[in-house]
Amino acid sequence: MAEPSGWLRRFGAWLRTATVRLALSYLAIIMVMSLAFSVVFYHASARELARQLPPSSLFETEFGNFRPPRFNAFFEDRIAEGRQALLRRLVLLNMLTLLAGGALSYYLARRTLRPIEQAMEAQSQFVSDASHELRTPLTAIQTVNEVALRRKQLTAEAAREIIEHNVAEVVKLRALTDGLLKLARNDSASVVTSAVSLQDVVSQAMEQVVPLAQAKEIAVDDQVEPVMVVAERQALQQVVVILLDNAIKYGPDGSTVFLTSQTRGRFGYLKVRDQGPGIRPYDQRRIFDRFYRADQSRSKHVVEGHGIGLSLAKQIVQSFDGDISVSSSVGTGSTFTVKLPLA
Ligand code: ADP
């Protein structure tokens, strides 16, 4: 048999798409209902038409039955014509239902499947971005070990250096996979919140970043007050660590990071301000996206990272019905604001 032509194959593939299959199911339901309704309607109307035939008692007189010749045949012809016309209209109506129902079904199927398709696209994008991020440290480990293996002799000192490098890369990999796991879970339904003091959370988070701040001689000016907000303590602490870590990472040596709190209406606010390079408006709109990193080609030092921290921070804060935002001007610094419902 000849190969089906290109367009036929494409049409076949289109017919097998999820959208078309779902649309066909919708259409089948519409058509079954329409046909069932037509059959019932046709039978009921045909019965009504048959009742048009006048009863023979109508022509009974005291002088006998005066039914005109071919009277019944005339009426029966009219009734048959009526049935034919009814059938034609019902067939037409069903054809129109098929066309309109087909279009409507396709539209509805697309609307139903779009969020599912988007979720699947986001999922596969996540997997491909995550694999890409994992590849860099893995390649580094592989290269260093392969080079070491090719050496005829390996001194204890060199071996130690290699192991140290491996451990450092594995630590980075762990941090990365931990972040990826948390991002992938995104299980806001299971978040258990309670009243949490911003002041407590901030001082605990500070303990984690002290070594980083000291290494760059960065001072952290903590003016946070004991504002009570609704959150999950550990997760909120992670948000503060992410913001402090960034403020220290991107801030210049010897600068200061300012931490303040505020309450307004039903919300409590935590602000983390740094004296870093600032973020361009174009990047400000994207830095909360997964894996997004602003172009660092113009900065003096390349800062390591994977573009996961802020998206994780946003995910966490939103699971508490809060929000996170940034205001920044290039050359002056950035302020990240976490908004949380007051307890
Ligand atoms: P990472 O810092 O690992 O790249 P993040 O998600 O924490 O990932 O941040 C995303 C991007 O936002 C960073 O790559 C950086 O370009 C920008 N950014 C975040 N915090 C700051 C800051 N305090 N100052 C300047 N740029 C920042």
Side-chain angles (χ1 to χ4, degrees), residues 242 246-247 249-250 274 276-279 287 292-294 296 304-311 334 336:
I242 289 169
N246 278 348
K249 255 186 354 183
Y250 295 99
D274 64 52
I279 304 164
I287 52 173
Y292 186 82
R293 306 201 73 214
Q296 293 186 32
E304 278 196 21
H306 300 282
I308 291 178
L310 287 179
S311 59
S334 315
F336 284 85

Short mmCIF file of all heavy atoms in Angstrom, two decimals, residues 242 246-247 249-250 274 276-279 287 292-294 296 304-311 334 336, ligand 1:
data_model
loop_
_atom_site.label_atom_id
_atom_site.label_comp_id
_atom_site.label_asym_id
_atom_site.label_seq_id
_atom_site.Cartn_x
_atom_site.Cartn_y
_atom_site.Cartn_z
N ILE A 242 17.73 33.59 52.98
CA ILE A 242 17.93 33.81 51.54
C ILE A 242 18.20 35.30 51.28
O ILE A 242 19.14 35.67 50.57
CB ILE A 242 16.70 33.32 50.73
CG1 ILE A 242 16.63 31.79 50.75
CG2 ILE A 242 16.76 33.84 49.29
CD1 ILE A 242 15.32 31.22 50.22
N ASN A 246 21.76 36.93 50.14
CA ASN A 246 21.92 37.72 48.92
C ASN A 246 22.49 39.10 49.22
O ASN A 246 23.39 39.58 48.51
CB ASN A 246 20.57 37.90 48.22
CG ASN A 246 20.20 36.68 47.38
OD1 ASN A 246 21.04 35.82 47.15
ND2 ASN A 246 18.96 36.61 46.93
N ALA A 247 21.96 39.75 50.28
CA ALA A 247 22.41 41.10 50.62
C ALA A 247 23.92 41.09 50.90
O ALA A 247 24.65 42.01 50.51
CB ALA A 247 21.64 41.61 51.83
N LYS A 249 26.05 38.55 49.83
CA LYS A 249 26.74 38.08 48.61
C LYS A 249 26.96 39.22 47.61
O LYS A 249 28.01 39.38 47.04
CB LYS A 249 25.86 37.03 47.92
CG LYS A 249 26.34 35.62 48.08
CD LYS A 249 25.60 34.54 47.31
CE LYS A 249 24.38 34.79 46.53
NZ LYS A 249 23.81 33.57 45.92
N TYR A 250 25.87 40.00 47.41
CA TYR A 250 25.95 41.03 46.38
C TYR A 250 26.44 42.37 46.92
O TYR A 250 26.79 43.27 46.16
CB TYR A 250 24.58 41.20 45.68
CG TYR A 250 24.18 39.94 44.93
CD1 TYR A 250 23.30 39.03 45.48
CD2 TYR A 250 24.74 39.65 43.69
CE1 TYR A 250 22.96 37.86 44.82
CE2 TYR A 250 24.42 38.48 43.03
CZ TYR A 250 23.52 37.58 43.60
OH TYR A 250 23.22 36.43 42.93
N ASP A 274 20.23 46.60 51.23
CA ASP A 274 21.70 46.46 51.12
C ASP A 274 22.28 47.64 50.35
O ASP A 274 21.55 48.48 49.81
CB ASP A 274 22.06 45.13 50.45
CG ASP A 274 21.58 45.05 49.01
OD1 ASP A 274 21.85 45.97 48.22
OD2 ASP A 274 20.90 44.04 48.67
N GLY A 276 24.38 47.19 47.83
CA GLY A 276 24.99 46.47 46.70
C GLY A 276 24.83 47.19 45.37
O GLY A 276 24.51 48.38 45.33
N PRO A 277 25.05 46.46 44.27
CA PRO A 277 25.06 47.09 42.94
C PRO A 277 23.67 47.51 42.45
O PRO A 277 23.56 48.26 41.47
CB PRO A 277 25.61 45.98 42.04
CG PRO A 277 25.25 44.71 42.76
CD PRO A 277 25.31 45.02 44.21
N GLY A 278 22.61 47.05 43.10
CA GLY A 278 21.26 47.37 42.63
C GLY A 278 20.85 46.44 41.51
O GLY A 278 21.66 45.66 40.99
N ILE A 279 19.57 46.50 41.17
CA ILE A 279 19.04 45.58 40.15
C ILE A 279 18.31 46.40 39.10
O ILE A 279 17.47 47.26 39.44
CB ILE A 279 18.06 44.56 40.81
CG1 ILE A 279 18.77 43.82 41.95
CG2 ILE A 279 17.52 43.57 39.80
CD1 ILE A 279 17.85 43.08 42.89
N ILE A 287 13.68 38.41 38.68
CA ILE A 287 14.54 37.71 39.66
C ILE A 287 13.79 36.72 40.55
O ILE A 287 14.41 35.87 41.16
CB ILE A 287 15.34 38.71 40.56
CG1 ILE A 287 14.39 39.72 41.18
CG2 ILE A 287 16.47 39.35 39.79
CD1 ILE A 287 15.07 40.62 42.19
N TYR A 292 16.35 32.26 37.31
CA TYR A 292 16.76 33.51 36.66
C TYR A 292 17.89 34.15 37.44
O TYR A 292 17.82 34.31 38.65
CB TYR A 292 15.58 34.49 36.57
CG TYR A 292 15.97 35.72 35.77
CD1 TYR A 292 15.94 35.70 34.39
CD2 TYR A 292 16.42 36.87 36.42
CE1 TYR A 292 16.35 36.80 33.66
CE2 TYR A 292 16.83 37.97 35.69
CZ TYR A 292 16.79 37.93 34.31
OH TYR A 292 17.20 39.01 33.58
N ARG A 293 18.94 34.54 36.72
CA ARG A 293 20.06 35.28 37.31
C ARG A 293 20.33 36.49 36.43
O ARG A 293 20.39 36.36 35.21
CB ARG A 293 21.33 34.43 37.38
CG ARG A 293 21.13 33.10 38.10
CD ARG A 293 22.44 32.54 38.60
NE ARG A 293 22.91 33.32 39.74
CZ ARG A 293 24.19 33.54 40.01
NH1 ARG A 293 25.11 33.10 39.19
NH2 ARG A 293 24.54 34.24 41.07
N ALA A 294 20.47 37.65 37.07
CA ALA A 294 20.73 38.86 36.28
C ALA A 294 22.13 38.75 35.66
O ALA A 294 23.00 38.07 36.20
CB ALA A 294 20.62 40.08 37.17
N GLN A 296 25.71 39.27 34.95
CA GLN A 296 26.75 39.79 35.86
C GLN A 296 28.00 40.21 35.12
O GLN A 296 29.05 40.41 35.72
CB GLN A 296 27.13 38.70 36.88
CG GLN A 296 26.01 38.36 37.82
CD GLN A 296 26.47 37.38 38.89
OE1 GLN A 296 27.60 37.39 39.32
NE2 GLN A 296 25.57 36.54 39.32
N GLU A 304 28.54 33.47 42.83
CA GLU A 304 28.01 32.14 42.52
C GLU A 304 26.54 32.02 42.91
O GLU A 304 26.10 32.65 43.88
CB GLU A 304 28.80 31.09 43.29
CG GLU A 304 30.09 30.72 42.61
CD GLU A 304 30.67 29.43 43.15
OE1 GLU A 304 29.91 28.64 43.72
OE2 GLU A 304 31.88 29.23 42.98
N GLY A 305 25.81 31.21 42.22
CA GLY A 305 24.41 30.99 42.57
C GLY A 305 23.70 30.25 41.46
O GLY A 305 24.27 30.00 40.39
N HIS A 306 22.45 29.89 41.73
CA HIS A 306 21.68 29.13 40.74
C HIS A 306 20.35 29.77 40.40
O HIS A 306 19.57 29.22 39.65
CB HIS A 306 21.43 27.70 41.26
CG HIS A 306 22.70 26.96 41.53
ND1 HIS A 306 23.44 26.38 40.53
CD2 HIS A 306 23.36 26.73 42.68
CE1 HIS A 306 24.50 25.80 41.06
NE2 HIS A 306 24.48 26.01 42.36
N GLY A 307 20.07 30.93 40.99
CA GLY A 307 18.79 31.59 40.69
C GLY A 307 17.60 30.89 41.29
O GLY A 307 16.50 30.93 40.74
N ILE A 308 17.82 30.22 42.42
CA ILE A 308 16.71 29.48 43.03
C ILE A 308 16.18 30.19 44.27
O ILE A 308 14.99 30.17 44.57
CB ILE A 308 17.19 28.06 43.42
CG1 ILE A 308 17.43 27.25 42.16
CG2 ILE A 308 16.16 27.34 44.28
CD1 ILE A 308 17.95 25.86 42.44
N GLY A 309 17.11 30.87 45.01
CA GLY A 309 16.76 31.44 46.32
C GLY A 309 15.50 32.29 46.32
O GLY A 309 14.56 32.03 47.08
N LEU A 310 15.47 33.31 45.45
CA LEU A 310 14.33 34.23 45.50
C LEU A 310 13.02 33.56 45.08
O LEU A 310 11.96 33.88 45.61
CB LEU A 310 14.60 35.46 44.61
CG LEU A 310 15.64 36.44 45.18
CD1 LEU A 310 15.85 37.60 44.23
CD2 LEU A 310 15.20 36.96 46.55
N SER A 311 13.10 32.61 44.12
CA SER A 311 11.85 31.95 43.72
C SER A 311 11.33 31.09 44.87
O SER A 311 10.12 30.99 45.10
CB SER A 311 12.01 31.14 42.44
OG SER A 311 12.99 30.17 42.62
N SER A 334 19.58 47.68 47.01
CA SER A 334 18.24 47.09 46.82
C SER A 334 17.57 46.92 48.17
O SER A 334 18.23 46.70 49.18
CB SER A 334 18.36 45.71 46.18
OG SER A 334 19.26 45.73 45.12
N PHE A 336 14.51 44.51 49.72
CA PHE A 336 13.53 43.44 49.55
C PHE A 336 12.53 43.56 50.69
O PHE A 336 12.92 43.72 51.85
CB PHE A 336 14.21 42.07 49.57
CG PHE A 336 14.93 41.78 48.28
CD1 PHE A 336 16.23 42.22 48.07
CD2 PHE A 336 14.30 41.08 47.27
CE1 PHE A 336 16.88 41.97 46.87
CE2 PHE A 336 14.93 40.83 46.06
CZ PHE A 336 16.23 41.27 45.87
P1 ADP B 1 21.19 33.48 43.13
O1 ADP B 1 21.58 34.58 44.06
O2 ADP B 1 21.60 32.14 43.58
O3 ADP B 1 21.57 33.77 41.72
P2 ADP B 1 18.47 34.28 43.71
O4 ADP B 1 17.18 33.68 43.26
O5 ADP B 1 18.66 34.45 45.17
O6 ADP B 1 19.59 33.37 43.07
O7 ADP B 1 18.60 35.68 43.01
C1 ADP B 1 18.30 35.84 41.64
C2 ADP B 1 19.07 36.99 41.04
O8 ADP B 1 18.63 38.22 41.62
C3 ADP B 1 20.55 36.95 41.34
O9 ADP B 1 21.24 36.16 40.40
C4 ADP B 1 20.95 38.40 41.26
O10 ADP B 1 21.16 38.76 39.91
C5 ADP B 1 19.70 39.14 41.73
N1 ADP B 1 19.81 39.54 43.15
C6 ADP B 1 19.23 38.92 44.21
N2 ADP B 1 19.48 39.59 45.35
C7 ADP B 1 20.22 40.67 45.02
C8 ADP B 1 20.79 41.77 45.76
N3 ADP B 1 20.63 41.87 47.07
N4 ADP B 1 21.46 42.70 45.06
C9 ADP B 1 21.62 42.60 43.73
N5 ADP B 1 21.11 41.59 42.97
C10 ADP B 1 20.42 40.64 43.60
#
